[in-house]
Amino acid sequence: MAKQTTRTSPVKKKLALEVIERLKAAYPEAACTLDYSQAWQLLVSVRLAAQCTDARVNIVVEELFSKYPSVAALAAAQPEEIEAIVKPCGLGHSKAKDISACMRILNDQYGGNVPDTFDELLALPGVGRKSANLIMGDVFGKPAIVTDTHCIRLCNLIGLVDNIKEPAKVEAALWKIIPPEEGSDLCHRFVLHGRAVCVARRPDCANCCLADICKTGKKQI
C-alpha cells in the first residue's frame, strides 16, 4: 500500500496543478456564490444553503438581514421569528434553531465577531467542516478546501481522488495534492464548472476544458 501511494501521489499532484491552471483560465473570477458583506452573514447563509440553492438563499437573506442587520439583532430574535423568514430554504425549524444559537454565542462570547480558528468555528451550532472551511478561506484568507457536492463529484470524475465520497476523506486526500493557497479558489471554480459544463448526469465533455486530462472525459472524446 505504501509503495502505491508513493507511485501515484506525484501523478495526482501534477494532474491537480494542471486542473488548477485550466480552471483559472476558464473562470478567472473565483468567488463564493452566496451574497454577504459581513462574516456573520456568510455564516448564516451557508447554514441556509444546506439542501437549498445559493440563488434561493440569496433571496431569502435579503429579508432576514434587513430585519436583523447585526449579530446582536439576530441573537435577540426568537427562533420562531427566524424560521418564518427562512422557511423557503427548507428545514426551516432546524436551521432557525442553529442560526439563533450560533448568533447568541457570537454575541455573548465573541463580541459579535466570527472566530478565526477552525476548531472554534466547528464548535458553533450548525457549523460543519464545509462551512468552517468556507469561512476560513473566504473571510480570513486562510488555506481551506470546501468539499461540497460539486467538489466531491468533480474530483472523482477527474481522477483527483478514487471513489471517495465522504467529504472529510476527500478533503484529506486533496490536502496532499493541492497547494494550500489554491484550495479555496479551486473549490469555487469546481462549483462554477459543475454548474456550467460538468453538470450532474449530463456532463458536456465535448466542451470541457479538462476533457483530455479527465479520467472520465477521456473516455468520451
Side-chain angles (χ1 to χ4, degrees), residues 40 43-45 47-48 64-65 68 70-84 86 91-109 124-127:
W40 69 269
L43 198 58
V44 170
S45 291
R47 179 65 186 98
L48 294 176
L64 184 68
F65 297 156
Y68 306 106
S70 67
V71 169
L74 197 50
Q78 293 300 313
E80 294 79 11
E81 297 174 309
I82 299 172
E83 182 179 354
V86 306
L91 304 174
H93 183 73
S94 61
K95 289 179 179 180
K97 182 179 178 181
D98 285 341
I99 290 170
S100 176
C102 183
M103 293 301 106
R104 290 177 184 182
I105 290 174
L106 294 188
N107 189 61
D108 296 344
Q109 298 182 22
L124 295 173
V127 177

Side-chain angles (χ1 to χ4, degrees), residues 43-59:
L43 198 58
V44 170
S45 291
V46 73
R47 179 65 186 98
L48 294 176
Q51 300 183 41
C52 182
T53 65
D54 289 359
R56 181 177 292 276
V57 171
N58 288 337
I59 293 172

Side-chain angles (χ1 to χ4, degrees), residues 17-169:
L17 292 177
E18 184 65 22
V19 168
I20 289 169
E21 292 309 309
R22 292 194 186 192
L23 290 182
K24 278 184 179 180
Y27 310 97
E29 298 295 327
C32 180
T33 52
L34 291 168
D35 296 336
Y36 69 99
S37 60
Q38 300 179 63
W40 69 269
Q41 293 177 337
L42 180 57
L43 198 58
V44 170
S45 291
V46 73
R47 179 65 186 98
L48 294 176
Q51 300 183 41
C52 182
T53 65
D54 289 359
R56 181 177 292 276
V57 171
N58 288 337
I59 293 172
V60 169
V61 295
E62 285 187 19
E63 179 182 354
L64 184 68
F65 297 156
S66 176
K67 187 172 183 179
Y68 306 106
S70 67
V71 169
L74 197 50
Q78 293 300 313
E80 294 79 11
E81 297 174 309
I82 299 172
E83 182 179 354
I85 298 175
V86 306
K87 189 176 180 180
C89 293
L91 304 174
H93 183 73
S94 61
K95 289 179 179 180
K97 182 179 178 181
D98 285 341
I99 290 170
S100 176
C102 183
M103 293 301 106
R104 290 177 184 182
I105 290 174
L106 294 188
N107 189 61
D108 296 344
Q109 298 182 22
Y110 293 98
N113 298 310
V114 175
D116 62 356
T117 70
F118 195 76
D119 288 342
E120 285 179 302
L121 286 168
L122 277 182
L124 295 173
V127 177
R129 295 190 67 85
K130 182 178 75 172
S131 301
N133 270 302
L134 183 65
I135 298 294
M136 292 292 284
D138 279 45
V139 174
F140 300 114
K142 297 183 179 182
I145 292 178
V146 181
T147 50
D148 63 4
T149 55
H150 289 289
C151 175
I152 294 170
R153 180 171 60 83
L154 267 64
C155 285
N156 277 279
L157 289 174
I158 294 167
L160 294 174
V161 300
D162 300 314
N163 299 315
I164 304 176
K165 301 299 173 64
E166 299 89 338
K169 291 183 179 180

